Amino acid sequence: MKKTIITVVGKDTVGIIAKVCTYLAENNINILDISQTIIQGFFNMMMVVDTNQTQKDFALIVDELEVLGNEVGVVIKCQHEDIFNKMHRI
């Protein structure tokens, strides 16, 4: 299983989750875990996804999610799980 961490941060608007999840489903990317919160109008979501079944190159997924984020007005970042873990250890 190829796990990827996706973070979505920005001002809350209608449809953020729907658009991100639609992109993932259309690209055979399975959501394994998801957490989201809205604090004083700011949206924050973190997802752990499995990219094992997608036909797209990881770099293309990163680029397309960045474009989607720009369209929705949020910042979307993707990292392989191992890189995320190394960047966030104490």
Side-chain angles (χ1 to χ4, degrees), residues 26-57:
E26 288 173 348
N27 289 284
N28 260 353
I29 299 171
N30 188 37
I31 299 169
L32 302 172
D33 200 356
I34 183 171
S35 173
Q36 68 91 30
T37 188
I38 300 167
I39 301 172
Q40 295 184 4
F42 291 95
F43 179 86
N44 186 4
M45 179 168 65
M46 182 173 174
M47 308 169 90
V48 179
V49 301
D50 178 7
T51 56
N52 203 44
Q53 299 299 315
T54 189
Q55 299 301 311
K56 289 190 177 177
D57 183 63

